[in-house]
Amino acid sequence: MINALLRSALLIAFGISAQAANAQFFGNHGSGTEASLFSGAYAGLELGYASASGTTEYPVLAGGTVRSRFEPGNGRGFGGFVGYNIRKNDLVYGAEIRYVNLVRLADRDPATPEDREVMEYADLRFRLGYVRGKVLFYGAAGWSWAKFRVHPGSVFTPRPNQTNLFGPSVGLGMEYNLSERWLFGADYTIRKLNGKFGEAASETDLDVGSLTFRVAYRF
């Protein structure tokens, strides 16, 4: 599902880029208004899909831990982001932080009664992009966090059933100026995360990917 959506997003991006190369967004090229596109502070919302895969050693209600694969398929995510860009000619660089809440990115091990779930994630990342007309193509790299939980219940009293995962992330994306202030975009990011439950002898290692579609307002 995510790979198909990513291909669609890239086709849309290349189509928009071809149009932007033949027509300018504001009058004469290099005008002050056009040169300010993609610069300054922005904030927005995003909606999309997430996937995960990896191996985890996790606590179970019966006591002790179990180690097994985690392959939940696709879940959904909704979140927000804020950032700041600096533009120099056709290059844009900046920083961004985002938070996404996940739904149904969960997997059940048939050997145990517990479900495992990636609940949410946050990214702090730096972006470097190239502008073509009113389209920005960018790459991103940074550091990510996610919360990983074992069901049922909020805690296995007095044993915690949640842990934090951390690791690097990289991504690709595009943004399109709908107007002088409003932007629409698509972003694909992969995160390599690890952490450990307190009882576990080995770490949880997960790859968490996301494909999101975004709307932002530039201040």
Side-chain angles (χ1 to χ4, degrees):
M1 172 69 75
I2 286 185
N3 289 335
L5 288 172
L6 177 59
R7 289 194 296 268
S8 298
L10 291 175
L11 288 173
I12 293 171
F14 287 126
I16 293 172
S17 179
Q19 295 177 14
N22 295 320
Q24 297 175 340
F25 190 58
F26 288 106
N28 296 327
H29 180 73
S31 67
T33 304
E34 183 181 2
S36 69
L37 292 178
F38 302 109
S39 65
Y42 61 91
L45 300 174
E46 62 182 14
L47 177 67
Y49 294 91
S51 65
S53 64
T55 305
T56 174
E57 181 179 345
Y58 58 96
V60 295
L61 285 172
T65 62
V66 171
R67 183 170 179 82
S68 67
R69 291 287 299 172
F70 179 71
E71 296 178 339
N74 291 332
R76 300 189 301 273
F78 176 79
F81 55 91
V82 295
Y84 191 88
N85 288 330
I86 298 174
R87 178 172 177 176
K88 297 293 185 181
N89 298 318
D90 289 334
L91 294 180
V92 173
Y93 55 95
E96 180 182 281
I97 185 168
R98 67 174 170 178
Y99 166 82
V100 173
N101 183 265
L102 297 171
V103 179
R104 295 184 179 177
L105 192 58
D107 190 14
R108 182 176 182 125
D109 185 348
T112 70
E114 287 79 21
D115 293 340
R116 294 158 294 159
E117 177 185 22
V118 182
M119 300 171 61
E120 55 192 339
Y121 66 78
D123 302 323
L124 174 62
R125 60 189 192 157
F126 298 95
R127 305 196 312 169
L128 176 64
Y130 177 72
V131 177
R132 289 285 294 176
K134 53 182 175 178
V135 182
L136 169 68
F137 298 96
Y138 65 84
W143 197 252
S144 297
W145 159 87
K147 182 175 287 186
F148 188 62
R149 177 173 70 174
V150 181
H151 290 291
S154 58
V155 292
F156 296 171
T157 306
R159 304 155 59 212
N161 72 329
Q162 299 182 10
T163 191
N164 294 310
L165 309 178
F166 300 92
S169 61
V170 294
L172 295 172
M174 58 79 62
E175 292 176 352
Y176 174 75
N177 273 281
L178 297 171
S179 68
E180 184 180 352
R181 295 293 182 183
W182 288 97
L183 307 171
F184 171 80
D187 181 277
Y188 178 74
T189 301
I190 184 71
R191 306 158 189 84
K192 298 191 72 67
L193 307 177
N194 61 75
K196 190 170 74 170
F197 288 98
E199 301 175 56
S202 59
E203 289 192 332
T204 291
D205 295 300
L206 298 183
D207 293 339
V208 178
S210 62
L211 173 62
T212 58
F213 299 94
R214 339 171 88 201
V215 175
Y217 181 81
R218 187 171 60 84
F219 298 97

